[in-house]
Amino acid sequence: MIGRPWYSNYAKVILLVILAFMLAYLLPVKEVWYGRQAYNNLFTLEDDSLFVPLLRSTLFAFITSTCIVTFALILSLLLKGVTLASSHALLLSFLLFPILAGNVSTSFTFKLVLVYFPNAFQNNLTTFFTTGLIEAWQFGSLFIYVFWLNQQVIEENRFQFAKAAGFTLFETIRDILLPAQKGLYLLLYIFCFLTCFYEEAKFGFIFKSSRGNGTEPIGQWLQRLFDSSSYVNPNFAFRVICVAALIILAGAVLGLVVIVSIKFLLFGRLLRTRLAFSFVRPTQNYSPILAWLLVLTVLTPVVITLCSKLVVWHVNVKPMLTPLLLTLAAALLATGLALLYSVAARMVWRKMLSGLNNKSIWFIGILLLLLLIPPLVILLVGFKWMALIAYNSPVVVHVFWMISQVILSFPVLAVFAIAAHFRVRNSTINFCAVHATRSLEKIRDIFWGALRMDYLFLLILAFSTIWNEATINRVFSDTIPSFAVELKKVISGRGTNYTTGIQFLFISFTLSFLNIAIWNKIIRSIQKKGSKNEKIPSL
Amino acid sequence: MNTFKSLLTVLIVSVLYLSCSDAGSTSTSSEPATISIIGENSSTLNAMMAMKAEYEKKDSTVRLNYLPSDFKDALEKSNQDFSQGKGAYDVVLQYNFTLSPSVRNNYVYRISELTNTISQQDKQFEAQIFPALWQETGYYYINDLNPSAGNQMISYPYLGISMVLMYNKKLFEDPVNKSNYQAKFGKSLTVPTTWEDYYNVAAFFTNPAKKTYGVCIEGEDGAMLVAEWTNYLYGFNGKYLDKELGWQSAENTRLLINTPEALKALTYYKSLKPFNAGGYATVEQSAQLDIMLMGNTAMAIVWTDMLYSKLKSDKGFNPDFGFTTIPGSKSIVCGGAYFINKHSRQPEKAAQFVVDQLQPQNQIKLAKLGYCSPLKSTYADPEVNQLPYSEALYKSLDRGGMKLEAGPDAQIITEKISTYIQKVWFDKMSPADALNEAQLEITTARSKLYKDLKANVQ
């Protein structure tokens, strides 16, 4: 056995303590214990029990995620003809636009777009279908891009071997492309499922979902329960919500475990199948045309919104400067911590985190468990923690804001970093261990050198996640203006002013395009290195 | 390495910039005291914020910190602050349904505790507050466990709003429409004052081929749907509970959901569906006014505090719309109160601010900026009277008669009623079945609520 570094055991303990802290921070165990008598009450709300919205949200998440992630994978396969070195690689970056714009901006954009399509929400079936399409626009485009990026690291000599060995198109996909995407497919599926499960912004803002018209998702049901319990007192309401959230969390975990296990098996079966489908290998490269079509699909709602007669081309960015800088700082911190954690985890648990297997999926699942906690609980816990700090000190409030954002964005960033580190071979780590390479050198040579593009991509995603975050920002919005909170203020309620809302949308779009421009600059630098015949760092 | 250095430089610059930024301050003895006021982002709060500089000039020992928020955020933040006792907000501007939990949990001052030092002259505005409005928004039980002990004044109303009938003048004044209506119904086309006329006018103006409609009803799930529905319920002599004031409610208060009057009201409400513009379930107060502004809908029952921001432009008020009281003899009386936090660090200054806001001359200034005043005298001002909705609002607040639920069971009643009204609208249930189911569900939920209230006295 290769010698383990001296800090290995300490690192394991620290990593587990961080996990435990994250769980303890976001799981109000005491409240669940005190509110335990509410268990029975949740099952005796007659027609208004939590089962109907829970089932509804689970089904919506299952169907939507399956469709989105599967189609994204298929479309990414069809983009095989676009390589990182080609000019169309820069075009494909626009697929990142929806995720960079954020949830509130997306909801408002489609609120304006769907004015022209009133049939999109005639009844609850059309409502769910349309919401699914919007989710596909927002997340599907990201998944297509991530799958496509992941394809770029498959060694070219494998395809050359396949060609030389006379593989059919189906065999090439089955034996070379799909195995490389299996882990990512399952990870993205889990992420998409969790996001769709707690989808509220689109249901609530665009479609005004309700129990009465059969569209109420579980998050909205929870909010209603909280609102009516608040009339007793806020502490009582918090306990009731914590108990309900625990049941919802258990239900969602069960659902996710069953669904992911089935998908794991099915994917494995597909990879092992000896069936031969004869797909005709296209003689022309249609990938660039598909790339253009996808980008046009992504940008069409943006164009419709900007062409709306409400557009007023005047933007006051001054109030957003401070949150912008804070977001950048928080993104750097969150990304740095997520990377340190995932690097340490990769070095310590070498076998488990060498790829997506039965053990690593549990590890990743525990990290993502935090995403299963209802946003309402996170909000209320945030208020509880705020009670411990000095409201009047701006420095203290800023620090706590940063800590909160880092904690909230940590699971997703850490999971994507862990997935990127699957490409780091154990043999490389063991080689460095044998030669007693210093830790900083290991990080520089094994991780940073090979994966810095992934890390920069992660930083851009971290920035977008924190900028568009709409839960914990509500807690701090009195002191730290938040883009998502300010936008929400002018697109719903008594202060509705769509003209001001579109100005905010303009800021959101501008930032998204700026992020894409930065990312494209990074890709261009990679392309230049490739043209000089230098080794392109793997993605 | 260069990239890393660049990012590190940006981080350091950001930290330096942020540490110099003023994101709030703790006042020292020489600095003005800050009064933090939280409320829903609305034209009401915008009007109050416009007068901020004037007040700070008057009282240089005070700085006003307005915190306009989304409705849910304002409610949750203020509730959390009340229960945690941090005193982050000195004055909370909330609607009447927060009276019950705020007073019962002892979160707020009775304003009379803080105005002892204020002169009687400065409190003369009290005689001008609409009595029904004050009772609904600023009074509560002396002891909610013993309702027979009577009521007490908690605070002053910060707002007086109602729902009025908005009508499209062009449609009503069109000679062709007048002639056709006369021919069809044998009487003049006028803005309806009875519910029968309201139905006839709505039917008359509806022509899907020409995309004209008689009414636009708010159908978004929740308080707004129920508020509009309340007009119809009371219009047919129905009510929710057997009580006199909205916030009154006890365990044994009789629930009156499935009465013959409520059934007539719901049947009537459903009968308006063919005449309705918009998607119903996606239409809330703002969307309702946007639909009216398109000019092809005859009537809508609208909130008065939404009108200023929607109808006023640089050229003045949109002249195409008129306003009057809703059909029948009753109107909704609604608003909110100035709640002064029991953990406020300067409750007396907060009370002085409240009293100043309610001075008649300030109320007039606020009303000209879109604020719906709780004082009668405001509406006598000639300029305020010029506001197209002013007379209708005054008459509505003066006649009153309708109560929106504001007791501890308000949320339960609102959400259940909203659910079942939507089910009726979408033909999932008959009105009779819906009211029976609502009665059963609300009875069960209220019973549980009052048990929880007794078990969780703070």
XYZ file of all heavy atoms in Angstrom, chain B residues 379-441:
498
model
N -59.932 64.662 2.620
C -60.693 64.587 1.372
C -61.462 65.880 1.086
O -62.041 66.031 0.013
C -61.635 63.380 1.410
C -60.850 62.090 1.541
C -60.578 61.549 2.790
C -60.341 61.451 0.419
C -59.807 60.390 2.913
C -59.579 60.298 0.542
C -59.316 59.782 1.794
O -58.549 58.649 1.910
N -61.438 66.796 2.063
C -62.079 68.088 1.843
C -61.148 69.054 1.117
O -61.585 70.082 0.604
C -62.501 68.692 3.187
N -59.877 68.714 1.087
C -58.927 69.595 0.396
C -59.237 69.603 -1.106
O -59.407 68.549 -1.714
C -57.499 69.085 0.643
C -56.466 69.924 -0.083
O -56.131 71.014 0.418
O -56.027 69.493 -1.160
N -59.284 70.776 -1.728
C -59.660 70.856 -3.153
C -58.740 70.048 -4.066
O -59.196 69.397 -4.999
C -59.557 72.361 -3.469
C -59.612 73.045 -2.172
C -59.064 72.108 -1.138
N -57.445 70.111 -3.781
C -56.519 69.383 -4.671
C -56.659 67.878 -4.509
O -56.588 67.128 -5.489
C -55.080 69.801 -4.370
C -54.668 71.069 -5.093
C -53.178 71.357 -4.943
O -52.377 70.548 -5.444
O -52.837 72.366 -4.318
N -56.848 67.442 -3.280
C -57.041 65.995 -3.051
C -58.349 65.560 -3.697
O -58.447 64.478 -4.282
C -57.042 65.678 -1.533
C -57.401 64.208 -1.300
C -55.679 65.969 -0.926
N -59.343 66.427 -3.621
C -60.643 66.119 -4.217
C -60.574 65.942 -5.724
O -61.419 65.275 -6.321
C -61.619 67.257 -3.874
C -63.005 66.728 -3.620
O -63.230 65.527 -3.609
N -63.941 67.627 -3.452
N -59.559 66.552 -6.323
C -59.383 66.454 -7.771
C -58.932 65.068 -8.211
O -59.072 64.695 -9.381
C -58.319 67.469 -8.252
C -58.769 68.923 -8.198
C -59.940 69.163 -9.108
O -59.948 68.799 -10.272
N -60.980 69.765 -8.562
N -58.357 64.301 -7.271
C -57.935 62.943 -7.634
C -59.178 62.156 -8.039
O -60.179 62.161 -7.315
C -57.238 62.260 -6.448
C -55.924 62.915 -5.972
C -55.480 62.289 -4.659
C -54.837 62.769 -7.023
N -59.159 61.497 -9.160
C -60.385 60.895 -9.705
C -61.042 59.874 -8.786
O -62.247 59.657 -8.862
C -59.920 60.241 -11.016
C -58.438 60.223 -10.977
C -58.001 61.277 -10.046
N -60.278 59.238 -7.907
C -60.836 58.190 -7.049
C -61.166 58.700 -5.648
O -61.648 57.959 -4.789
C -59.848 57.016 -6.935
C -58.456 57.424 -6.488
C -58.139 57.537 -5.136
C -57.479 57.720 -7.423
C -56.876 57.942 -4.739
C -56.210 58.125 -7.030
C -55.911 58.236 -5.688
O -54.661 58.627 -5.292
N -60.870 59.981 -5.410
C -60.956 60.544 -4.055
C -62.363 60.446 -3.475
O -62.563 59.994 -2.341
C -60.477 61.994 -4.089
O -60.576 62.557 -2.826
N -63.348 60.872 -4.253
C -64.720 60.882 -3.743
C -65.202 59.458 -3.467
O -65.836 59.183 -2.441
C -65.643 61.564 -4.750
C -67.049 61.799 -4.201
C -67.985 62.429 -5.235
O -67.486 63.039 -6.201
O -69.196 62.274 -5.065
N -64.906 58.555 -4.385
C -65.329 57.166 -4.206
C -64.676 56.560 -2.968
O -65.323 55.835 -2.202
C -64.964 56.344 -5.442
N -63.421 56.869 -2.748
C -62.715 56.347 -1.584
C -63.326 56.898 -0.295
O -63.577 56.152 0.660
C -61.228 56.702 -1.677
C -60.354 56.379 -0.458
C -60.443 54.894 -0.088
C -58.905 56.768 -0.712
N -63.572 58.201 -0.294
C -64.152 58.819 0.907
C -65.490 58.178 1.268
O -65.743 57.787 2.412
C -64.332 60.324 0.690
C -65.005 61.013 1.847
C -64.266 61.480 2.929
C -66.405 61.189 1.886
C -64.877 62.098 4.011
C -67.019 61.802 2.963
C -66.250 62.254 4.015
O -66.866 62.852 5.087
N -66.338 58.035 0.257
C -67.673 57.459 0.511
C -67.564 56.023 0.988
O -68.332 55.573 1.842
C -68.517 57.520 -0.769
C -69.054 58.900 -1.097
C -69.884 58.855 -2.357
C -70.448 60.250 -2.650
N -71.054 60.323 -3.988
N -66.607 55.291 0.421
C -66.436 53.886 0.797
C -65.990 53.764 2.248
O -66.526 52.958 3.016
C -65.415 53.205 -0.115
O -65.824 53.260 -1.460
N -64.993 54.579 2.619
C -64.497 54.522 3.998
C -65.558 55.011 4.977
O -65.629 54.548 6.116
C -63.226 55.373 4.140
C -61.965 54.830 3.449
C -60.833 55.840 3.537
C -61.541 53.500 4.049
N -66.380 55.926 4.508
C -67.395 56.491 5.391
C -68.529 55.510 5.646
O -69.014 55.369 6.763
C -67.948 57.780 4.766
C -68.716 58.610 5.773
O -68.267 58.697 6.929
O -69.768 59.178 5.412
N -68.942 54.790 4.594
C -70.085 53.893 4.799
C -69.659 52.560 5.384
O -70.401 51.960 6.172
C -70.885 53.733 3.506
C -70.237 52.924 2.416
C -71.140 52.871 1.184
N -70.663 51.895 0.210
C -71.291 51.603 -0.919
N -72.418 52.212 -1.247
N -70.805 50.702 -1.743
N -68.493 52.047 5.003
C -67.968 50.802 5.560
C -68.965 49.656 5.474
O -69.733 49.542 4.541
N -68.966 48.815 6.495
C -69.947 47.727 6.574
C -69.387 46.366 6.250
O -69.989 45.341 6.596
N -68.234 46.307 5.543
C -67.667 45.001 5.196
C -66.395 44.788 6.003
O -65.618 45.731 6.185
C -67.301 44.944 3.718
C -68.461 44.994 2.776
S -67.851 44.651 1.114
C -69.275 45.096 0.156
N -66.193 43.547 6.425
C -64.993 43.258 7.210
C -64.146 42.213 6.507
O -64.659 41.172 6.105
C -65.383 42.691 8.586
C -66.269 43.588 9.405
C -67.307 42.767 10.128
C -68.649 43.425 10.418
N -68.914 44.720 9.937
N -62.864 42.521 6.409
C -61.931 41.488 5.975
C -61.443 40.765 7.211
O -61.260 41.387 8.263
C -60.743 42.125 5.237
C -61.064 42.710 3.861
C -59.836 43.370 3.275
C -61.572 41.623 2.917
N -61.258 39.479 7.097
C -60.869 38.692 8.263
C -59.496 39.120 8.770
O -58.552 39.269 7.977
C -60.848 37.202 7.923
C -62.239 36.630 7.770
C -63.094 36.912 9.000
O -62.667 36.535 10.109
O -64.162 37.524 8.842
N -59.410 39.330 10.090
C -58.154 39.796 10.679
C -57.893 39.160 12.043
O -57.040 39.632 12.785
C -58.159 41.321 10.798
N -58.643 38.114 12.375
C -58.409 37.443 13.651
C -57.294 36.422 13.515
O -56.658 36.313 12.467
N -57.047 35.637 14.562
C -55.997 34.616 14.482
C -56.286 33.554 13.431
O -55.377 32.883 12.957
C -55.967 34.003 15.892
C -57.184 34.471 16.577
C -57.667 35.689 15.897
N -57.576 33.432 13.048
C -57.942 32.445 12.030
C -58.030 33.057 10.634
O -58.518 32.428 9.698
C -59.284 31.795 12.393
C -60.345 32.831 12.755
O -60.066 34.047 12.629
O -61.442 32.433 13.189
N -57.539 34.298 10.475
C -57.675 35.009 9.198
C -57.018 34.244 8.049
O -57.593 34.081 6.974
C -57.059 36.407 9.295
N -55.804 33.775 8.292
C -55.069 33.099 7.217
C -55.770 31.809 6.828
O -55.875 31.476 5.647
C -53.631 32.814 7.685
C -52.780 32.073 6.681
C -52.532 32.849 5.409
O -52.607 34.092 5.401
N -52.244 32.160 4.321
N -56.264 31.082 7.821
C -56.959 29.817 7.546
C -58.183 30.077 6.676
O -58.396 29.420 5.652
C -57.394 29.149 8.874
C -56.166 28.583 9.587
C -58.396 28.036 8.634
C -56.457 28.146 11.005
N -58.991 31.037 7.093
C -60.218 31.333 6.350
C -59.878 31.793 4.942
O -60.455 31.335 3.948
C -61.050 32.394 7.090
C -61.580 31.818 8.399
C -62.208 32.891 6.218
C -62.251 32.826 9.307
N -58.888 32.675 4.841
C -58.518 33.216 3.525
C -58.068 32.114 2.577
O -58.536 32.025 1.444
C -57.398 34.256 3.685
O -57.857 35.305 4.525
C -56.970 34.820 2.350
N -57.163 31.260 3.037
C -56.626 30.263 2.092
C -57.666 29.211 1.722
O -57.719 28.754 0.580
C -55.351 29.629 2.646
C -55.532 28.801 3.872
C -54.244 28.151 4.362
O -53.251 28.870 4.559
O -54.254 26.922 4.559
N -58.525 28.830 2.673
C -59.543 27.817 2.342
C -60.596 28.393 1.390
O -60.995 27.764 0.412
C -60.257 27.297 3.599
C -59.363 26.785 4.715
C -58.690 25.492 4.396
C -57.832 25.033 5.585
N -56.803 24.091 5.194
N -61.049 29.598 1.691
C -62.059 30.229 0.834
C -61.499 30.402 -0.576
O -62.156 30.106 -1.572
C -62.481 31.589 1.417
C -63.248 31.409 2.720
C -63.286 32.397 0.402
C -64.639 30.859 2.545
N -60.248 30.873 -0.650
C -59.623 31.078 -1.955
C -59.566 29.779 -2.745
O -59.886 29.738 -3.940
C -58.207 31.640 -1.746
O -57.571 31.806 -2.978
N -59.180 28.692 -2.076
C -59.091 27.389 -2.739
C -60.433 26.996 -3.329
O -60.523 26.599 -4.503
C -58.637 26.318 -1.728
O -57.299 26.603 -1.315
C -58.697 24.929 -2.334
N -61.480 27.107 -2.504
C -62.779 26.607 -2.967
C -63.438 27.518 -3.987
O -64.147 27.048 -4.880
C -63.692 26.307 -1.766
C -63.285 25.008 -1.116
C -62.480 24.984 0.016
C -63.649 23.796 -1.689
C -62.058 23.783 0.555
C -63.239 22.593 -1.155
C -62.436 22.596 -0.028
O -62.000 21.390 0.504
N -63.176 28.786 -3.914
C -63.704 29.689 -4.943
C -63.032 29.380 -6.279
O -63.675 29.349 -7.329
C -63.497 31.156 -4.543
C -64.471 31.508 -3.421
C -63.717 32.086 -5.731
C -64.323 32.899 -2.884
N -61.731 29.118 -6.248
C -61.054 28.744 -7.499
C -61.615 27.427 -8.043
O -61.783 27.268 -9.253
C -59.549 28.609 -7.270
C -58.812 29.927 -7.258
C -57.316 29.761 -7.505
O -56.742 28.711 -7.286
N -56.671 30.818 -7.962
N -61.885 26.499 -7.155
C -62.435 25.217 -7.620
C -63.792 25.428 -8.298
O -64.101 24.796 -9.310
C -62.576 24.234 -6.455
C -61.233 23.682 -5.972
C -61.385 22.549 -4.973
C -60.022 22.039 -4.557
N -60.031 20.790 -3.828
N -64.583 26.303 -7.732
C -65.884 26.599 -8.348
C -65.666 27.248 -9.707
O -66.296 26.891 -10.698
C -66.722 27.507 -7.425
C -67.946 28.046 -8.153
C -67.139 26.751 -6.180
N -64.768 28.201 -9.761
C -64.506 28.935 -11.017
C -64.058 27.989 -12.114
O -64.447 28.128 -13.267
C -63.452 30.012 -10.771
C -63.251 30.918 -11.955
C -62.410 30.723 -13.014
C -63.917 32.160 -12.195
N -62.511 31.773 -13.899
C -63.417 32.667 -13.413
C -64.874 32.895 -11.508
C -63.850 33.878 -13.957
C -65.300 34.097 -12.045
C -64.800 34.581 -13.260
N -63.210 27.013 -11.734
C -62.684 26.070 -12.724
C -63.582 24.848 -12.884
O -63.162 23.824 -13.417
C -61.265 25.629 -12.344
C -60.255 26.730 -12.430
C -59.514 27.102 -11.317
C -60.050 27.423 -13.609
C -58.591 28.138 -11.386
C -59.123 28.460 -13.687
C -58.403 28.818 -12.574
N -64.829 24.962 -12.432
C -65.839 23.908 -12.624
C -65.447 22.579 -11.999
O -65.864 21.516 -12.487
C -66.123 23.696 -14.130
C -66.636 24.969 -14.795
O -67.495 25.632 -14.177
O -66.158 25.316 -15.887
N -64.659 22.623 -10.947
C -64.306 21.364 -10.265
C -65.355 21.003 -9.216
O -65.400 19.873 -8.745
C -62.937 21.506 -9.598
C -61.801 21.609 -10.602
C -60.444 21.692 -9.912
C -59.350 21.837 -10.944
N -58.032 21.941 -10.365
N -66.141 22.003 -8.833
C -67.146 21.749 -7.793
C -68.305 22.697 -8.011
O -68.121 23.780 -8.569
C -66.583 22.107 -6.406
C -65.650 21.128 -5.822
S -65.163 21.723 -4.199
C -65.512 20.282 -3.259
N -69.459 22.305 -7.478
C -70.585 23.234 -7.503
C -70.425 24.211 -6.345
O -69.741 23.896 -5.358
C -71.893 22.461 -7.345
O -71.973 21.956 -6.028
N -71.057 25.388 -6.440
C -70.963 26.340 -5.327
C -71.429 25.752 -4.002
O -70.793 25.976 -2.966
C -71.881 27.495 -5.780
C -71.826 27.450 -7.270
C -71.723 26.000 -7.613
N -72.490 24.972 -4.019
C -73.010 24.408 -2.761
C -72.000 23.454 -2.132
O -71.714 23.524 -0.929
C -74.335 23.695 -3.010
N -71.445 22.564 -2.945
C -70.454 21.608 -2.434
C -69.219 22.339 -1.925
O -68.629 21.976 -0.901
C -70.034 20.619 -3.536
C -71.128 19.622 -3.848
O -72.047 19.478 -3.013
O -71.081 18.998 -4.929
N -68.814 23.344 -2.665
C -67.615 24.101 -2.280
C -67.803 24.757 -0.916
O -66.918 24.694 -0.053
C -67.296 25.168 -3.326
N -68.950 25.365 -0.714
C -69.181 26.042 0.569
C -69.278 25.030 1.709
O -68.780 25.286 2.814
C -70.452 26.892 0.485
C -70.342 28.120 -0.435
C -71.689 28.804 -0.586
C -69.318 29.113 0.091
N -69.885 23.890 1.444
C -69.967 22.857 2.491
C -68.580 22.344 2.866
O -68.248 22.181 4.043
C -70.842 21.690 2.029
C -72.310 22.051 2.013
O -72.742 22.969 2.721
N -73.089 21.360 1.215
N -67.775 22.065 1.833
C -66.411 21.574 2.090
C -65.591 22.626 2.830
O -64.828 22.306 3.750
C -65.711 21.256 0.758
C -66.272 20.065 0.008
C -65.778 18.756 0.573
O -64.691 18.715 1.175
O -66.507 17.752 0.430
N -65.743 23.872 2.405
C -64.995 24.956 3.053
C -65.395 25.081 4.510
O -64.547 25.244 5.397
C -65.239 26.272 2.315
N -66.694 24.980 4.767
C -67.185 25.070 6.152
C -66.552 23.978 7.019
O -66.051 24.238 8.115
C -68.722 24.940 6.170
C -69.351 24.855 7.535
C -69.750 26.200 8.118
O -69.748 27.214 7.428
N -70.081 26.217 9.393
N -66.533 22.759 6.494
C -65.981 21.618 7.243
C -64.495 21.813 7.508
O -64.005 21.640 8.630
C -66.159 20.330 6.431
C -67.486 19.604 6.575
C -67.583 18.479 5.557
C -67.639 19.040 7.999
N -63.787 22.167 6.442
C -62.336 22.293 6.555
C -61.942 23.416 7.498
O -61.024 23.276 8.314
C -61.738 22.554 5.161
C -60.569 21.651 4.852
C -59.993 21.860 3.478
O -59.101 22.710 3.348
O -60.462 21.163 2.551
